[in-house]
Amino acid sequence: MDELLIEEYFKDIKNYLLDKNNRKIYLLERNQCHETKSGVYCFFIDNKVSYIGETGCLKKRINDLLNTRNHTFRRIFGELYFSSHKLYSKASSTKGYDKEIENLLVEKMKSHLSFSYKSMNIGRKEFEEWFQENSNDFELLNKRKKRK
């Protein structure tokens, strides 16, 4: 595939993800996303792009945000807002936050978080990396920039 075509394809997907008409408020409920195909997704904090991700199943991955151990973005969000809290202890894929922080996290996410997604059959990882490299005007919270 021609590099210019790939660039245009990625720009179209990026524009779709950033379009306010395609965003949904994240209610922290199961099955907010009904798309079971693979694709890419964006999380917005207070309408600012904050995280880009890719997955083999959008529905499952968006649901993963309900559990601190299942999604890096939720752990990053918690660290961003609650790292100075007296009960804060860094969460991981094996350990969540203290119950009080989890409750605060849920309330904060409900009032500040939205997301968009787009199914893609091929090029998800490449798009995620391209988005990060071509989004200098956004302060993304993604930890991993390039896959090994």
Side-chain angles (χ1 to χ4, degrees):
M1 192 173 203
D2 182 285
E3 286 208 26
L4 288 174
L5 284 175
I6 293 170
E7 184 82 12
E8 287 305 311
Y9 175 61
F10 284 173
K11 283 180 182 176
D12 288 345
I13 292 169
K14 180 180 178 181
N15 289 336
Y16 179 90
L17 290 171
L18 298 180
D19 187 331
K20 288 183 181 185
N21 295 318
N22 297 321
R23 291 186 203 165
K24 300 176 186 323
I25 300 298
Y26 197 81
L27 304 172
L28 276 87
E29 296 174 356
R30 271 206 184 284
N31 303 321
Q32 273 199 263
C33 173
H34 299 287
E35 181 62 69
T36 57
K37 293 181 181 177
S38 57
V40 291
Y41 58 95
C42 240
F43 286 118
F44 301 84
I45 300 174
D46 296 326
N47 292 313
K48 293 179 184 166
V49 177
S50 299
Y51 189 89
I52 181 75
E54 65 83 21
T55 182
C57 178
L58 286 159
K59 180 179 179 178
K60 287 180 183 176
R61 193 64 181 143
I62 299 301
N63 282 344
D64 279 346
L65 196 60
L66 297 171
N67 186 321
T68 298
R69 292 176 308 224
N70 292 350
H71 207 297
T72 304
F73 177 72
R74 185 175 169 115
R75 294 190 296 271
I76 293 168
F77 193 94
E79 184 176 338
L80 181 67
Y81 287 101
F82 303 108
S83 60
S84 62
H85 191 283
K86 64 182 180 200
L87 296 174
Y88 179 83
S89 176
K90 193 168 181 73
S92 68
S93 60
T94 58
K95 178 184 88 120
Y97 291 118
D98 177 87
K99 188 173 183 170
E100 184 177 327
I101 291 179
E102 287 288 353
N103 290 335
L104 291 169
L105 180 59
V106 165
E107 291 310 309
K108 188 70 137 175
M109 291 173 91
K110 281 183 180 178
S111 59
H112 296 275
L113 192 62
S114 59
F115 71 103
S116 62
Y117 59 89
K118 178 85 172 124
S119 62
M120 286 179 74
N121 293 326
I122 60 170
R124 299 183 319 266
K125 291 177 185 176
E126 292 82 1
F127 173 77
E128 180 185 24
E129 290 174 0
W130 175 89
F131 189 102
Q132 290 177 30
E133 290 172 8
N134 292 280
S135 297
N136 296 331
D137 46 337
F138 304 121
E139 193 173 321
L140 296 174
L141 299 174
N142 292 62
K143 296 277 187 190
R144 179 174 48 200
K145 300 295 181 195
K146 203 115 161 101
R147 297 186 189 263
K148 296 176 181 174

